[in-house]
PDB file of all heavy atoms in Angstrom:
ATOM      1  N   GLY R 340     -86.959 109.948  19.196  1.00 91.00           N
ATOM      2  CA  GLY R 340     -86.445 109.384  17.953  1.00 91.00           C
ATOM      3  C   GLY R 340     -85.988 107.954  18.017  1.00 91.00           C
ATOM      4  O   GLY R 340     -85.053 107.558  17.311  1.00 91.00           O
ATOM      5  N   GLY R 341     -86.662 107.131  18.822  1.00 93.00           N
ATOM      6  CA  GLY R 341     -86.255 105.740  18.957  1.00 93.00           C
ATOM      7  C   GLY R 341     -86.283 104.959  17.660  1.00 93.00           C
ATOM      8  O   GLY R 341     -85.489 104.035  17.467  1.00 93.00           O
ATOM      9  N   ALA R 342     -87.181 105.333  16.754  1.00 88.00           N
ATOM     10  CA  ALA R 342     -87.247 104.628  15.470  1.00 88.00           C
ATOM     11  C   ALA R 342     -85.959 104.782  14.684  1.00 88.00           C
ATOM     12  O   ALA R 342     -85.633 103.954  13.834  1.00 88.00           O
ATOM     13  CB  ALA R 342     -88.430 105.149  14.652  1.00 88.00           C
ATOM     14  N   GLN R 343     -85.187 105.835  14.979  1.00 85.00           N
ATOM     15  CA  GLN R 343     -83.928 106.062  14.275  1.00 85.00           C
ATOM     16  C   GLN R 343     -82.755 105.341  14.935  1.00 85.00           C
ATOM     17  O   GLN R 343     -81.656 105.316  14.379  1.00 85.00           O
ATOM     18  CB  GLN R 343     -83.642 107.565  14.215  1.00 85.00           C
ATOM     19  CG  GLN R 343     -84.677 108.340  13.434  1.00 85.00           C
ATOM     20  CD  GLN R 343     -84.388 109.822  13.439  1.00 85.00           C
ATOM     21  OE1 GLN R 343     -83.302 110.258  13.061  1.00 85.00           O
ATOM     22  NE2 GLN R 343     -85.355 110.612  13.864  1.00 85.00           N
ATOM     23  N   THR R 344     -82.967 104.780  16.114  1.00 88.00           N
ATOM     24  CA  THR R 344     -81.929 103.993  16.777  1.00 88.00           C
ATOM     25  C   THR R 344     -82.404 102.559  17.015  1.00 88.00           C
ATOM     26  O   THR R 344     -82.004 101.898  17.964  1.00 88.00           O
ATOM     27  CB  THR R 344     -81.495 104.642  18.111  1.00 88.00           C
ATOM     28  OG1 THR R 344     -82.629 104.854  18.946  1.00 88.00           O
ATOM     29  CG2 THR R 344     -80.795 105.961  17.853  1.00 88.00           C
ATOM     30  N   LEU R 345     -83.288 102.117  16.155  1.00 86.00           N
ATOM     31  CA  LEU R 345     -83.802 100.747  16.225  1.00 86.00           C
ATOM     32  C   LEU R 345     -82.782  99.797  15.610  1.00 86.00           C
ATOM     33  O   LEU R 345     -82.255 100.050  14.528  1.00 86.00           O
ATOM     34  CB  LEU R 345     -85.118 100.661  15.466  1.00 86.00           C
ATOM     35  CG  LEU R 345     -85.924  99.369  15.590  1.00 86.00           C
ATOM     36  CD1 LEU R 345     -86.357  99.137  17.037  1.00 86.00           C
ATOM     37  CD2 LEU R 345     -87.143  99.426  14.685  1.00 86.00           C
ATOM     38  N   SER R 346     -82.520  98.717  16.299  1.00 81.00           N
ATOM     39  CA  SER R 346     -81.444  97.830  15.896  1.00 81.00           C
ATOM     40  C   SER R 346     -81.774  96.983  14.683  1.00 81.00           C
ATOM     41  O   SER R 346     -82.930  96.709  14.381  1.00 81.00           O
ATOM     42  CB  SER R 346     -81.060  96.915  17.057  1.00 81.00           C
ATOM     43  OG  SER R 346     -82.115  96.043  17.348  1.00 81.00           O
ATOM     44  N   SER R 347     -80.710  96.582  14.032  1.00 83.00           N
ATOM     45  CA  SER R 347     -80.786  95.606  12.944  1.00 83.00           C
ATOM     46  C   SER R 347     -80.133  94.340  13.460  1.00 83.00           C
ATOM     47  O   SER R 347     -79.006  94.388  13.951  1.00 83.00           O
ATOM     48  CB  SER R 347     -80.041  96.153  11.734  1.00 83.00           C
ATOM     49  OG  SER R 347     -79.960  95.214  10.712  1.00 83.00           O
ATOM     50  N   VAL R 348     -80.823  93.209  13.389  1.00 83.00           N
ATOM     51  CA  VAL R 348     -80.374  91.997  14.064  1.00 83.00           C
ATOM     52  C   VAL R 348     -80.130  90.864  13.076  1.00 83.00           C
ATOM     53  O   VAL R 348     -80.924  90.656  12.165  1.00 83.00           O
ATOM     54  CB  VAL R 348     -81.420  91.534  15.104  1.00 83.00           C
ATOM     55  CG1 VAL R 348     -80.892  90.355  15.913  1.00 83.00           C
ATOM     56  CG2 VAL R 348     -81.822  92.678  16.011  1.00 83.00           C
ATOM     57  N   ALA R 349     -79.032  90.135  13.273  1.00 86.00           N
ATOM     58  CA  ALA R 349     -78.744  88.944  12.477  1.00 86.00           C
ATOM     59  C   ALA R 349     -78.392  87.806  13.421  1.00 86.00           C
ATOM     60  O   ALA R 349     -77.662  88.000  14.396  1.00 86.00           O
ATOM     61  CB  ALA R 349     -77.594  89.194  11.506  1.00 86.00           C
ATOM     62  N   GLU R 350     -78.917  86.616  13.125  1.00 83.00           N
ATOM     63  CA  GLU R 350     -78.633  85.439  13.949  1.00 83.00           C
ATOM     64  C   GLU R 350     -77.452  84.697  13.359  1.00 83.00           C
ATOM     65  O   GLU R 350     -77.375  84.492  12.148  1.00 83.00           O
ATOM     66  CB  GLU R 350     -79.861  84.532  14.004  1.00 83.00           C
ATOM     67  CG  GLU R 350     -79.762  83.449  15.062  1.00 83.00           C
ATOM     68  CD  GLU R 350     -81.108  82.796  15.334  1.00 83.00           C
ATOM     69  OE1 GLU R 350     -82.075  83.096  14.605  1.00 83.00           O
ATOM     70  OE2 GLU R 350     -81.173  81.977  16.263  1.00 83.00           O
ATOM     71  N   LYS R 351     -76.507  84.304  14.227  1.00 80.00           N
ATOM     72  CA  LYS R 351     -75.302  83.638  13.741  1.00 80.00           C
ATOM     73  C   LYS R 351     -74.673  82.800  14.840  1.00 80.00           C
ATOM     74  O   LYS R 351     -74.462  83.271  15.954  1.00 80.00           O
ATOM     75  CB  LYS R 351     -74.280  84.667  13.239  1.00 80.00           C
ATOM     76  CG  LYS R 351     -73.028  84.047  12.657  1.00 80.00           C
ATOM     77  CD  LYS R 351     -72.107  85.100  12.071  1.00 80.00           C
ATOM     78  CE  LYS R 351     -70.865  84.457  11.466  1.00 80.00           C
ATOM     79  NZ  LYS R 351     -69.954  85.468  10.862  1.00 80.00           N
TER      80      LYS R 351
END
Side-chain angles (χ1 to χ4, degrees):
Q343 297 178 55
T344 55
L345 189 62
S346 66
S347 174
V348 186
E350 192 166 7
K351 183 175 181 179

